[in-house]
Amino acid sequence: MSRFRSAALALALGLAPGVAPAQVSDDVVRVGVLNDLSGPYADFAGPGSVVAARLAIEDMGGKVLGKPVEVIGGDHQNKPDVGAALARRWIDTDRVDMVIDMPNSAVALAVQQVGRERNRIIINTSAATTELTGKQCSPVGFHWVLDSYALTSGITRAVMRQGGKSWYYLTVDYEGGYAQERASEVVINAEGGKVMGRARHPLNTADFSSFLLQAQASRAQVVALANAGTDTVTAIKQAGEFGLTKQGQRLVGFFVNITDIKALGLPTAQGVVSVDAWYWDQDDETRAFAQRFAARHQGRMPTQYQAGVYSGVRHWLKAIEAAGTDEAMAVAAKMRELPVQDVFTKNGRVRADGRHVHDVHLVEVKKPEESKGPWDLYRIVATIPADQAFRPLNEGGCPLVAP
């Protein structure tokens, strides 16, 4: 980063050269893991994200600047007002220093605004909207794992180059789904493809029959699922029952997680293509971490978002150590300055807009005969470099980015 850009970022963060950071706020440093504990997003985040946060704290010795670190968890119920109210209570009453996770983009945007108002670090690991690092970016807000650009652009381009030129979208009816759809459509238009139509469905839909019939009738080559969690699982299962893939349509999931594939089983999910930021069976280090996690979480392997919670918490704690304080603006500056190196990524970095950029993987679900164990579900088809996986810094419209 140039000296000019460093100075611009320091000013944007409210830091002046030579000003000593504030002291540690109290005798305990607290992390609030805010997510969906019992709804459609509980499997890929939920209680497992709390487990991941605790593992990160353990790996930092359980303390930062000599003070103990605690974790609390809460359920936002996929309601922005509930999530924002809980975040305010945590910060104002329970003295929480950082809030992390937030699957559901509407909730994530609401909580990020609370962090801006209350001067508290907010790390969004599970939300999809790029608005978190776009026009609604925050000096104390970060987006850690994937976003709608990373989830959709690479996979859309790859499928189009394999012949999938016409697309139909099944989109969950809130901002996270719209963002996935928009990012994919930009690529389709740029690559000379065609959008045949779209159907919007409510969150936590049990019956996709009417939406799938519309997708079939469109005769699109590709049916793209711009949703997540149990909605994705249900849609893939019912698409198989309706015979979409047997009739030649290809099924692409923008927000597919390993827990979704495990729930579906390989006979149903084989061949589904998606993007994943982190897979437990990449190397010896990821396998060792996954086994530790599984021992705490009913034998389940961590998802990319749970691994992202681990990484986000650990990087935040390292930034507190480097800053010598838990004051949010000072910690935010160190989070942008320090490289991200842990079990999640070896070459991560945090940009001025708060976007954590890192390599991501194009994955394909294995056939049953290719799997060697209950969680051996993916084949990594390609690795998309960090500078190609995420939206260019100058295209987001974040006010923190120097012109």
Side-chain angles (χ1 to χ4, degrees):
M1 183 181 291
S2 69
R3 182 175 301 176
F4 172 79
R5 292 179 70 83
S6 297
L9 179 58
L11 289 172
L13 295 173
L15 301 174
V19 176
Q23 299 299 312
V24 174
S25 57
D26 55 35
D27 290 332
V28 179
V29 176
R30 293 182 178 88
V31 178
V33 180
L34 182 59
N35 61 29
D36 177 357
L37 291 174
S38 58
Y41 304 150
D43 279 351
F44 70 74
S49 291
V50 178
V51 171
R54 286 176 175 150
L55 288 174
I57 292 165
E58 288 177 15
D59 288 350
M60 290 292 290
K63 292 185 178 182
V64 62
L65 299 179
K67 307 296 183 182
V69 185
E70 295 180 351
V71 178
I72 61 174
D75 190 345
H76 59 46
Q77 302 173 38
N78 289 297
K79 298 176 181 178
D81 57 339
V82 172
L86 185 52
R88 289 190 192 97
R89 192 191 78 197
W90 278 357
I91 293 168
D92 295 346
T93 304
D94 300 329
R95 307 196 72 177
V96 164
D97 299 286
M98 184 268 281
V99 183
I100 192 167
D101 208 3
M102 279 79 68
N104 187 308
S105 292
V107 175
L109 288 166
V111 173
Q112 179 152 293
Q113 179 60 28
V114 172
R116 189 198 324 270
E117 295 167 355
R118 298 298 201 272
N119 190 36
R120 289 293 187 278
I121 298 289
I122 307 295
I123 304 176
N124 292 283
T125 54
S126 303
T129 179
T130 52
E131 279 299 295
L132 289 162
T133 53
K135 294 179 181 179
Q136 297 189 51
C137 70
S138 165
V140 290
F142 299 87
H143 205 168
W144 211 254
V145 181
L146 293 176
D147 57 30
S148 56
Y149 186 99
L151 284 164
T152 58
S153 298
I155 192 172
T156 301
R157 191 171 289 108
V159 172
M160 289 192 72
R161 290 174 181 174
Q162 294 170 359
K165 298 294 185 180
S166 60
W167 290 61
Y168 189 94
Y169 295 100
L170 265 63
T171 305
V172 64
D173 193 11
Y174 75 88
E175 174 56 29
Y178 311 151
Q180 294 177 51
E181 184 183 296
R182 286 195 302 266
S184 174
E185 192 168 356
V186 166
V187 176
I188 290 170
N189 292 334
E191 298 281 335
K194 185 177 182 180
V195 175
M196 307 298 287
R198 64 199 85 219
R200 301 280 169 80
H201 68 83
L203 180 66
N204 216 10
T205 292
D207 183 1
F208 279 86
S209 57
S210 63
F211 308 116
L212 291 168
L213 286 169
Q214 293 174 54
Q216 279 185 315
S218 75
R219 299 185 182 276
Q221 294 170 307
V222 180
V223 177
L225 305 178
N227 51 25
T230 55
D231 284 329
T232 297
V233 171
T234 304
I236 292 174
K237 182 179 179 181
Q238 293 180 8
E241 295 169 354
F242 272 76
L244 263 70
T245 54
K246 291 180 180 178
Q247 295 172 15
Q249 291 179 302
R250 192 169 189 185
L251 201 60
V252 168
F254 289 144
F255 203 94
V256 174
N257 281 287
I258 190 173
T259 48
D260 303 329
I261 303 307
K262 187 69 169 64
L264 286 161
L266 294 182
T268 299
Q270 60 182 306
V272 170
V273 177
S274 190
V275 169
D276 210 279
W278 183 90
Y279 180 46
W280 73 270
D281 200 18
Q282 291 172 234
D283 54 41
D284 289 343
E285 185 181 11
T286 59
R287 285 188 284 271
F289 172 77
Q291 292 301 325
R292 287 178 60 208
F293 179 93
R296 308 277 188 93
H297 195 49
Q298 302 175 331
R300 301 163 69 89
M301 293 295 109
T303 67
Q304 56 185 325
Y305 298 104
Q306 291 160 345
V309 168
Y310 172 91
S311 176
V313 170
R314 189 160 185 181
H315 190 71
W316 172 69
L317 292 173
K318 289 179 179 178
I320 291 174
E321 289 280 8
T325 176
D326 62 355
E327 194 280 320
M329 287 293 193
V331 174
K334 287 298 180 181
M335 289 180 69
R336 288 173 168 87
E337 175 185 323
L338 297 172
V340 184
Q341 295 180 333
D342 52 39
V343 72
F344 183 80
T345 182
K346 293 295 180 290
N347 63 343
R349 60 186 177 85
V350 181
R351 302 188 313 199
D353 60 356
R355 176 67 260 178
H356 173 214
V357 295
H358 48 83
D359 296 346
V360 303
H361 307 296
L362 188 67
V363 298
E364 183 176 4
V365 178
K366 289 184 173 182
K367 298 176 181 178
E369 61 270 22
E370 296 173 333
S371 176
K372 298 178 181 178
W375 289 92
D376 182 19
L377 304 176
Y378 285 159
R379 175 191 306 105
I380 295 178
V381 178
T383 297
I384 305 171
D387 60 352
Q388 298 176 26
F390 295 94
R391 181 177 61 190
L393 180 62
N394 62 355
E395 293 182 7
C398 172
L400 299 176
V401 177

